């Protein structure tokens, strides 16, 4: 069976961010799973302006021009069969960098599965995930029920790995659901155009 192309998105660009540590561990879990070709996409590596072009009928759908510095990001999102968003929680929501990356794209999320791995204080980033689920549903993505949340992450990771011995099992369950949806939706997209 063909592996699904999984893009793990590091959503924070803040100085000193912890997202790359979480993404690296998750990429290891996804590679071990065996059903994915894994790529980490770090939003800090791309030019993603917060201001978008003016709304206009000539830029319907996904046709508005993007900065040249976003070309590789767009190509990577286009090629993906599935996504995992790695996000912290800032003021009970997710980072502006992640919202900007989402808003600059439209068809890249459509009819593709998205899972969430969050980290933060007591809530482990769950408020950020709730907001992301609403946004991605609006863009016709399929959000996965199972996810991972790391409360008090600064005290619960050591040498780049979570201290919770169940974390790999939680990741496996999430990745199993993501792999199922990625395969099913890739097949569906190849057979007919998504009506949305």
């Amino acid at each position: 069976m063909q592996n699904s192309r999984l893009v793990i998105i590091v959503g924070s660009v803040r100085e000193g961010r912890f997202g790359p540590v979480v993404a690296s561990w998750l990429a290891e879990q996804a590679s071990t799973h065996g059903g994915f070709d894994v790529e980490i996409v770090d939003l800090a590596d791309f030019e993603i302006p917060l201001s978008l072009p003016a709304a206009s009928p000539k830029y319907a759908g996904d046709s508005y021009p993007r900065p040249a510095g976003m070309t590789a990001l767009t190509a990577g999102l286009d090629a993906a069969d599935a996504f995992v968003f790695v996000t912290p929680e800032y003021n009970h929501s997710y980072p502006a960098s992640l919202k900007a990356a989402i808003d600059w794209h439209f068809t890249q999320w459509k009819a593709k599965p998205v899972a969430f791995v969050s980290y933060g204080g007591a809530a482990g980033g769950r408020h950020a995930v709730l907001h992301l689920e609403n946004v991605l549903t609006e863009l016709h993505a399929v959000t996965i029920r199972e996810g991972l949340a790391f409360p008090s992450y600064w005290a619960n990771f050591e040498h780049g790995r979570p201290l919770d011995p169940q974390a790999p099992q939680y990741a496996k369950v999430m990745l199993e659901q993501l792999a199922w949806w990625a395969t099913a939706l890739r097949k569906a997209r190849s057979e007919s155009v998504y009506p949305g």
Side-chain angles (χ1 to χ4, degrees):
M1 184 185 301
Q2 177 186 351
N3 278 2
S4 296
R5 182 179 171 86
L6 172 63
V7 170
I8 299 171
I9 299 175
V10 180
S12 173
V13 299
R14 177 178 281 182
E15 186 176 342
R17 68 222 164 102
F18 193 70
V21 174
V22 179
S24 179
W25 174 80
L26 182 64
E28 180 184 311
Q29 304 306 305
S31 295
T32 300
H33 175 274
F36 299 104
D37 295 327
V38 184
E39 178 185 3
I40 296 176
V41 169
D42 189 338
L43 296 185
D45 294 336
F46 301 96
E47 173 194 348
I48 307 175
L50 293 180
S51 58
L52 279 77
S56 167
K58 73 177 183 175
Y59 296 145
D62 203 43
S63 65
Y64 50 75
R66 296 186 183 91
M70 207 182 296
T71 302
L73 172 62
T74 301
L77 300 180
D78 271 330
D81 294 310
F83 302 99
V84 177
F85 283 55
V86 175
T87 183
E89 182 176 312
Y90 296 162
N91 300 319
H92 277 211
S93 195
Y94 56 94
S97 51
L98 191 48
K99 185 64 162 72
I102 293 168
D103 288 347
W104 272 105
H105 298 90
F106 187 74
T107 59
Q108 287 74 20
W109 319 111
K110 191 179 288 187
K112 295 179 182 180
V114 182
F116 304 98
V117 176
S118 61
Y119 58 96
R126 290 184 187 92
H127 299 105
V129 170
L130 287 173
H131 292 178
L132 280 166
E133 287 173 336
N134 286 335
V135 171
L136 271 298
T137 297
E138 174 66 17
L139 293 170
H140 298 275
V142 175
T143 59
I144 303 303
R145 180 185 180 277
E146 300 300 331
L148 285 87
F150 295 106
S152 303
Y153 65 90
W154 55 88
N156 289 303
F157 267 75
E158 191 171 278
H159 306 300
R161 309 183 72 75
L163 294 176
D164 182 351
Q166 293 300 309
Q169 180 59 33
Y170 297 147
K172 181 180 179 183
V173 172
M174 179 190 75
L175 291 165
E176 285 292 324
Q177 290 186 1
L178 195 61
W180 189 93
W181 277 108
T183 299
L185 290 173
R186 183 175 64 242
K187 181 176 186 291
R189 289 193 311 273
S190 72
E191 292 175 353
S192 63
V193 176
Y194 176 75

